[in-house]
Amino acid sequence: MSNFLRVAIAAFLLSGCTLANSETLPYKAWRLGFSAPNYMDVWIETADVIDVEGQVYRRAMSGIAAIQSPPNNTGDPRGWPEKPGPGKGKSVTGANLPKKIYVRWQSLVEPQTYKMVIEISESTRELMRKGEKAFCAADGKWITGYREVLVINLAPGGMAKVWVMGSCLPAIEVAKVKAEIDPRGPYEGKSGGKYDKLSDQSKAYIEKFGVPYDSWK
């Protein structure tokens, strides 16, 4: 075998390893979380993930989104959070970084059923791969942190905003999406149009102040 051929094969194998490593997670799993504005109750029917390898993870998350509903209408649901939290969610174990996320949810204050597909850009995945030096106030240590959490805030009117964040790294906004109404209604039309119950605190707030749709545009 000529030296040229040996070098060419070595270069090919090295480039293949580099490509494979670029898709390897620097942590065990990334996390998908959901939140909603104060009093704006949300029930997530399903959040399905397609990763960069084309694998599908159905119902990677479902259930109640993280929300605060202080008594006596003392909370403020208007606008997007300046410093979003990780939301309520799960680690998407076994998945590579996301390419698309399909979400169908009930906005209980309206009530209305929405569905959307969130396209996750390569620049977002680069943020999730990139390690950064970070100071963790909880234990007073400097670490190499990663933005391994993808959090989605769901607001009435079908509005959604997406951030990536880490436990010791600030959130970065990466997408804003306007969902479409699912004409089948709740549970794909299998509940006879019946929505889940709105909490007492949320009901009291809505009856007094209504839904501030314009604050999430």
Side-chain angles (χ1 to χ4, degrees):
M1 183 184 294
S2 68
N3 287 335
F4 174 80
L5 188 55
R6 289 191 182 96
V7 171
I9 292 173
F12 174 78
L13 293 175
L14 182 59
S15 65
C17 290
T18 301
L19 179 62
N21 288 338
S22 71
E23 296 296 339
T24 301
L25 296 182
Y27 34 80
K28 289 184 178 180
W30 61 277
R31 185 179 186 274
L32 178 62
F34 287 87
S35 60
N38 289 3
Y39 306 109
M40 304 293 121
D41 292 2
V42 162
W43 178 261
I44 301 157
E45 293 186 4
T46 187
D48 305 331
V49 171
I50 301 176
D51 72 6
V52 291
E53 296 176 351
Q55 297 297 312
V56 179
Y57 297 83
R58 300 195 183 279
R59 294 180 68 83
M61 172 56 186
S62 61
I64 300 171
I67 190 173
Q68 295 185 27
S69 299
N72 303 318
N73 300 326
T74 54
D76 186 357
R78 295 172 297 177
W80 302 105
E82 293 184 5
K83 294 182 179 180
K88 185 174 181 180
K90 299 177 181 178
S91 294
V92 190
T93 305
N96 210 313
L97 291 177
K99 183 177 182 180
K100 295 182 181 182
I101 301 174
Y102 168 77
V103 188
R104 188 176 69 250
W105 78 96
Q106 301 174 23
S107 174
L108 301 181
V109 297
E110 300 181 69
Q112 190 62 267
T113 304
Y114 294 101
K115 60 181 180 179
M116 67 180 175
V117 176
I118 303 171
E119 302 278 352
I120 305 299
S121 66
E122 177 57 26
S123 59
T124 297
R125 289 190 289 272
E126 285 296 329
L127 288 172
M128 297 179 76
R129 294 188 193 103
K130 182 181 177 183
E132 293 185 23
K133 293 295 181 183
F135 181 76
C136 283
D139 54 14
K141 294 181 180 179
W142 284 91
I143 66 165
T144 298
Y146 294 91
R147 290 182 172 86
E148 78 278 13
V149 179
L150 192 150
V151 59
I152 303 169
N153 191 274
L154 301 173
M159 302 304 298
K161 189 170 277 195
V162 187
W163 296 264
V164 288
M165 62 182 296
S167 57
C168 300
L169 290 172
I172 297 176
E173 180 184 334
V174 294
K176 186 177 180 182
V177 181
K178 176 69 168 68
E180 62 180 89
I181 294 173
D182 189 335
R184 298 171 297 179
Y187 301 109
E188 300 178 293
K190 298 174 184 177
S191 69
K194 184 177 181 180
Y195 282 85
D196 292 339
K197 184 181 178 182
L198 190 64
S199 69
D200 292 340
Q201 294 93 332
S202 296
K203 183 178 180 181
Y205 184 93
I206 298 304
E207 288 178 348
K208 186 170 183 179
F209 298 105
V211 180
Y213 289 102
D214 290 341
S215 70
W216 300 298
K217 290 184 178 180

